[in-house]
Amino acid sequence: QVHLVESGGGMVQAGNSLRLTCAPSGGDLSMATMGWFRQASGKDREFVASISWPGRNTYYARSVKGRFTISRDNVKHTVFLQMNSLNPEDSAVYYCAKSHYTVVRDSSSDYDIWGQGTQVTVSY
C-alpha cells in the first residue's frame, strides 16, 4: 500500500512563501486525483486544493484561490503546493491525500490515503 510523506513546512512571516512536497512510498500516484487539506488548531480539517489525473485540472478553496498553486510531476510521482502571500490564518497542519477518483474532488471522504502532515506556522 502506498504511503504519502509531506515535507516543506516550517515557520515564516506573513507575506512570505512556502512550497510543500508530497512524495509517495511503496507505490505511485498514477490514475489518482491528489489533494491538499489543512487542519488548524482547534478547527476541523478543511479542503485546500485538488489536482486531477494526469494534472490538467485544478480546484481551490476560496480562501486560498489566487495565492496557492497545486501541481504534480508524474515522472517523479510527486505533488506540490506552492503557497504565496501567507497570512496567520494559513497556519495549520497540511495533509496530502490520494483519491480513487481521476477528477478534482473537494471532500475528504473522496480521498483514501493520507500523509502524516507537515506543520505550517505563519507569524505576524
Side-chain angles (χ1 to χ4, degrees):
Q1 185 73 15
V2 64
H3 296 274
L4 305 177
V5 180
E6 304 95 334
S7 62
M11 178 176 286
V12 298
Q13 293 184 8
N16 287 351
S17 300
L18 282 175
R19 191 192 196 200
L20 306 183
T21 299
C22 174
S25 178
D28 60 50
L29 307 181
S30 62
M31 298 296 294
T33 286
M34 299 296 297
W36 287 96
F37 293 77
R38 67 186 183 186
Q39 186 168 22
S41 180
K43 300 185 66 176
D44 293 333
R45 182 172 56 194
E46 66 174 345
F47 168 76
V48 175
S50 177
I51 185 167
S52 66
W53 173 262
R56 185 166 186 171
N57 299 315
T58 59
Y59 183 68
Y60 300 92
R62 199 175 309 277
S63 60
V64 307
K65 188 177 182 180
R67 299 188 298 120
F68 290 11
T69 302
I70 186 172
S71 61
R72 66 193 302 167
D73 183 336
N74 295 331
V75 175
K76 297 182 178 180
H77 300 288
T78 54
V79 181
F80 307 96
L81 184 67
Q82 178 67 44
M83 305 185 295
N84 298 327
S85 301
L86 286 164
N87 58 65
E89 288 68 45
D90 296 316
S91 296
V93 176
Y94 282 71
Y95 297 92
C96 176
K98 178 179 180 290
S99 176
H100 56 277
Y101 290 95
T102 58
V103 295
V104 294
R105 312 294 296 182
D106 62 2
S107 174
S108 61
S109 64
D110 292 327
Y111 293 82
D112 309 296
I113 306 297
W114 296 79
Q116 85 288 350
T118 185
Q119 177 71 51
V120 172
T121 302
V122 185
S123 65
Y124 288 98

